[in-house]
Every structure is written in structure tokens, then in C-alpha cells.
Amino acid sequence: EFLSEANAIGAMISCKFRDGTLEKTKKIILKAFEEGVIFFYCGRAPNDYKCRFLLPAGALNEAEYQKALRILERTIKKMERSK
């Protein structure tokens, strides 16, 4: 629903949200940081920006991984409500 694209290479995951604009991508990243999760952005203009994160393979357990995904989901939902 919120994702228009998702990719992975090894432990690196990227997600494109809806239209993939730099402004919205940065907004998601900053809101997620406020919730305690660090993401980066990648991609190129005009609408191909993605959030990306590298899982610390071997140091992250399933519960921590699920917690990070819940934070990301909560962040996106908050942004959708504030439109």
C-alpha cells in the first residue's frame, strides 16, 4: 500500500515509497530517526529515491528486526495521516 518498490541485496534492503520524491523520502528518514531507527537514502532524480538500510547480519535477532519494521510502518502511517 505504501511501497511502490522494495529490493534487497544480501543484508541491504531498499524501499521506495509511493512517488519516490527526495522530499518525501527524506521526511520518512527523519521521522524514523526520531523513532529510533537509522535509514539512509539512495537513488536519483526526479522520482527514484529510496530509503535503505543495512541489517547488521549476525548481530540482529528476529525481534529487533520486526521492531524496526514496525517503527517504519508507524512512521509511514503518521505521515499519511498528516497530509
Side-chain angles (χ1 to χ4, degrees):
E1 168 176 308
F2 300 112
L3 297 178
S4 61
E5 184 179 324
N7 298 294
I9 297 175
M12 186 177 300
I13 299 170
S14 69
C15 306
K16 181 176 174 180
F17 298 96
R18 304 231 175 176
D19 61 2
T21 62
L22 180 58
E23 179 184 342
K24 286 184 183 175
T25 302
K26 283 185 173 182
K27 197 173 199 180
I28 290 169
I29 289 170
L30 290 173
K31 292 290 184 187
F33 181 76
E34 290 171 7
E35 297 285 336
V37 177
I38 298 173
F39 293 99
F40 301 93
Y41 72 89
C42 61
R44 54 181 96 88
N47 296 323
D48 193 35
Y49 290 98
K50 300 170 185 73
C51 291
R52 74 175 169 85
F53 55 102
L54 180 60
L55 299 173
L60 189 70
N61 64 40
E62 181 67 22
E64 292 166 327
Y65 173 71
Q66 292 299 324
K67 180 179 179 182
L69 292 180
R70 283 192 305 275
I71 289 171
L72 179 58
E73 181 180 26
R74 185 173 61 232
T75 300
I76 294 167
K77 286 180 180 179
K78 282 181 184 178
M79 288 183 61
E80 288 292 313
R81 285 192 302 263
S82 68
K83 277 191 194 180

